[in-house]
Amino acid sequence: MVGPERPQFVLFGSSIVQLSFSDGGWGSILGDLYSRKADIVLRGYSGWNSRHALLVLDQVFPEDAAVQPSLVIVYFGGNDSVKPHPSGLGQHVPLPEYVENMRKIAIHLKGLSEKTRIIFLTAPPINEDQIREFYSSDSFFGRTNELCREYSEACLELCKEMDIKAIDLWTAIQKGKDWQSTCFLDGIHFSAEGSKVVVKEILKVLKEKDWEPNLHYNSLPAEFGEDSPYYPLSSDGKTTLNLSEFSFDRIIYWGIHDEND
């Protein structure tokens, strides 16, 4: 491990997570905003459901690790919600089992450390027409927006019961104008516009939660943030410009600022 040691944010989930480090993806935006402040660690596995997640949970999050994550953002649900196939194969996980799988994931993560914070992302909506345009495989046609809603609501109920912060992506994505045409690459996975919605919702949680320490990027110190004579000269030619803090410029760049920033 390289140092100095920073807070570690782990993104754990299926393809919504694996693809989040693509150009304009929500993981890459977080990585940019938290540069010099936290390490964003990707643990995304395309095609996986909550059953898959349980099989590797101890390997991804070992209880005896010397350093435990400060934040874990978990997403499973979209693949679980796919309609069952007559063969018994495929991604479908019955709703009651999905809830119990997510409960087990939450219990494991809560046991890692008193300082490990958890956010669950619910299943987002989908664009069924766009899916048909992009994919020929029957496995992708077993998805409906209604099933995504059911799994999203079940996740929200579980999080309420277990006092875990949840982000209702099914609702948040659909608030945007023309969300069906702007928020997806293929009807399932997020475009840059959809990723902005995800980041805004995550940052809203991190800003509002009374976690100690607060994990919002404005609250975390920049690594090696002290002034230095080796920084670029200021306009007066007598001082230097400290470049350790530039988050505001980045939220403008990504188009995720609001009136409160």
Side-chain angles (χ1 to χ4, degrees):
M1 177 179 178
V2 298
E5 184 178 311
R6 300 177 180 178
Q8 187 180 81
F9 295 0
V10 182
L11 315 183
F12 180 50
S14 56
S15 55
I16 293 291
V17 173
Q18 181 172 326
L19 299 178
S20 71
F21 270 28
S22 60
D23 188 22
W26 60 276
S28 64
I29 296 175
L30 289 175
D32 187 18
L33 289 177
Y34 280 90
S35 61
R36 297 183 70 162
K37 297 191 174 188
D39 289 331
I40 311 298
V41 180
L42 184 67
R43 291 295 182 269
Y45 306 93
S46 289
W48 281 29
N49 57 20
S50 59
R51 287 176 182 167
H52 263 119
L54 286 180
L55 293 175
V56 303
L57 197 56
D58 290 323
Q59 297 176 62
V60 177
F61 300 100
E63 293 179 338
D64 59 352
V67 177
Q68 295 293 0
S70 298
L71 174 68
V72 183
I73 300 177
V74 181
Y75 167 73
F76 291 100
N79 291 333
D80 298 68
S81 74
V82 173
K83 292 179 180 179
H85 192 271
S87 67
L89 301 174
Q91 298 169 304
H92 173 73
V93 174
L95 187 57
E97 181 189 344
Y98 164 72
V99 171
E100 289 310 304
N101 290 346
M102 297 301 284
R103 185 191 306 277
K104 291 174 183 176
I105 291 171
I107 291 172
H108 182 87
L109 295 178
K110 281 189 170 187
L112 295 179
S113 163
E114 291 183 357
K115 293 294 187 180
T116 297
R117 311 305 182 186
I118 307 166
I119 298 174
F120 275 14
L121 308 179
T122 77
I126 60 173
N127 182 336
E128 296 175 33
D129 292 335
Q130 195 176 19
I131 291 173
R132 294 186 184 94
E133 293 176 6
F134 272 82
Y135 296 104
S136 58
S137 171
D138 289 344
S139 63
F140 290 99
F141 297 158
R143 300 168 184 265
T144 70
N145 210 23
E146 177 59 21
L147 284 171
C148 289
R149 180 191 64 79
E150 292 179 14
Y151 279 68
S152 174
E153 290 182 354
C155 182
L156 291 173
E157 284 297 317
L158 173 67
C159 289
K160 182 179 180 181
E161 174 192 333
M162 299 190 68
D163 192 26
I164 294 172
K165 186 59 188 177
I167 293 176
D168 182 0
L169 288 185
W170 195 84
T171 299
I173 292 293
Q174 293 185 81
K175 287 180 179 178
K177 183 180 180 181
D178 301 323
W179 65 270
Q180 289 181 309
S181 59
T182 61
C183 287
F184 303 107
L185 299 171
D186 54 4
I188 301 172
H189 303 103
F190 295 131
S191 64
E193 195 63 32
S195 285
K196 291 178 185 178
V197 177
V198 180
V199 173
K200 284 183 177 181
E201 293 298 318
I202 292 172
L203 293 181
K204 188 186 304 181
V205 170
L206 297 180
K207 190 173 186 178
E208 294 174 353
K209 287 295 290 182
D210 56 351
W211 287 333
E212 181 60 41
N214 187 281
L215 299 178
H216 190 271
Y217 65 87
N218 278 337
S219 298
L220 292 176
E223 190 172 275
F224 301 125
E226 62 274 7
D227 290 333
S228 169
Y230 307 122
Y231 271 131
L233 279 173
S234 299
S235 57
D236 60 12
K238 300 178 181 178
T239 58
T240 56
L241 184 64
N242 190 324
L243 299 180
S244 64
E245 294 280 359
F246 65 103
S247 297
F248 183 75
D249 291 339
R250 304 316 295 162
I251 65 169
I252 296 293
Y253 174 82
W254 291 114
I256 57 173
H257 57 290
D258 59 40
E259 64 275 6
N260 297 317
D261 287 317

